[in-house]
C-alpha cells in the first residue's frame, strides 16, 4: 500500500442542498435525503463543524461531528438535529470546517415519486 500524508482541505462549501420532504419505499433505506461522505486519510481524528445557511433566516450551527483517522463517515443531513433539525424542502447551503484536511462528497437520494433518483458531486474545496 502506498504511504501518503493527509489529503484534502479544511474548509468545504456545499451551496445546493435541499432535503426532499417526500419519500416512498421502506425506511430508512429509501428515505429521501441529502448526505455527505467524508474521507479522513490522516493519522488523527478529524473534528468537523457544519454551519447551515438558509435563504431567509440566520445560519444554524455548529453541528459537531468527528471522522476517525484513516476512515470514511457518511452523515445524512436529515439526522443532524442538534442544535436544531434541518428543515425539509427548504434550500440551504452547508459550510464544513475541519481541524484536519479531509475530502467531502455530497449526495442526494430523492424517492418522492416512486423512483430512486440519486445524484452525487464533490463538494467545493475552499482551503
Amino acid at each position: 500500500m502506498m504511504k501518503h500524508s493527509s489529503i484534502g482541505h479544511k474548509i468545504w462549501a456545499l451551496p445546493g442542498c435541499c432535503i426532499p420532504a417526500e419519500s416512498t419505499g421502506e425506511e430508512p433505506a429509501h428515505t429521501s435525503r441529502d448526505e455527505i461522505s467524508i474521507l479522513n486519510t490522516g493519522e488523527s481524528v478529524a473534528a468537523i463543524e457544519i454551519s447551515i445557511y438558509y435563504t431567509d433566516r440566520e445560519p444554524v450551527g455548529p453541528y459537531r461531528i468527528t471522522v476517525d483517522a484513516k476512515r470514511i463517515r457518511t452523515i445524512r443531513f436529515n439526522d443532524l438535529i442538534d442544535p436544531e433539525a434541518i428543515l425539509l424542502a427548504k434550500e440551504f447551503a452547508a459550510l464544513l470546517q475541519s481541524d484536519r484536511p479531509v475530502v467531502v462528497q455530497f449526495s442526494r437520494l430523492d424517492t418522492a415519486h416512486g423512483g430512486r433518483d440519486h445524484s452525487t458531486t464533490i463538494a467545493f474545496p475552499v482551503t
Side-chain angles (χ1 to χ4, degrees), residues 50-52 59-64 82-84:
I50 303 171
S51 297
I52 301 298
V60 179
Y63 298 84
R64 291 182 172 90
D82 184 20
E84 69 180 51

Side-chain angles (χ1 to χ4, degrees), residues 3-44:
K3 298 219 178 217
H4 55 80
S5 61
S6 297
I7 62 168
H9 296 273
K10 291 185 175 183
I11 301 176
W12 292 83
L14 297 116
C17 304
C18 182
I19 302 169
E22 306 276 331
S23 296
T24 58
E26 276 188 47
E27 292 191 21
H30 296 165
T31 301
S32 292
R33 61 187 171 267
D34 280 6
E35 63 188 7
I36 49 175
S37 295
I38 305 169
L39 170 64
N40 176 9
T41 63
E43 299 288 333
S44 301

Side-chain angles (χ1 to χ4, degrees), residues 64-102:
R64 291 182 172 90
I65 61 170
T66 59
V67 180
D68 289 338
K70 299 182 181 180
R71 298 288 185 267
I72 187 169
R73 182 170 178 193
T74 299
I75 304 290
R76 291 182 182 194
F77 281 110
N78 310 44
D79 294 338
L80 297 177
I81 58 171
D82 184 20
E84 69 180 51
I86 296 177
L87 302 174
L88 299 180
K90 184 89 167 159
E91 291 180 350
F92 68 93
L95 182 68
L96 283 75
Q97 298 182 71
S98 176
D99 66 343
R100 310 212 177 285
V102 294

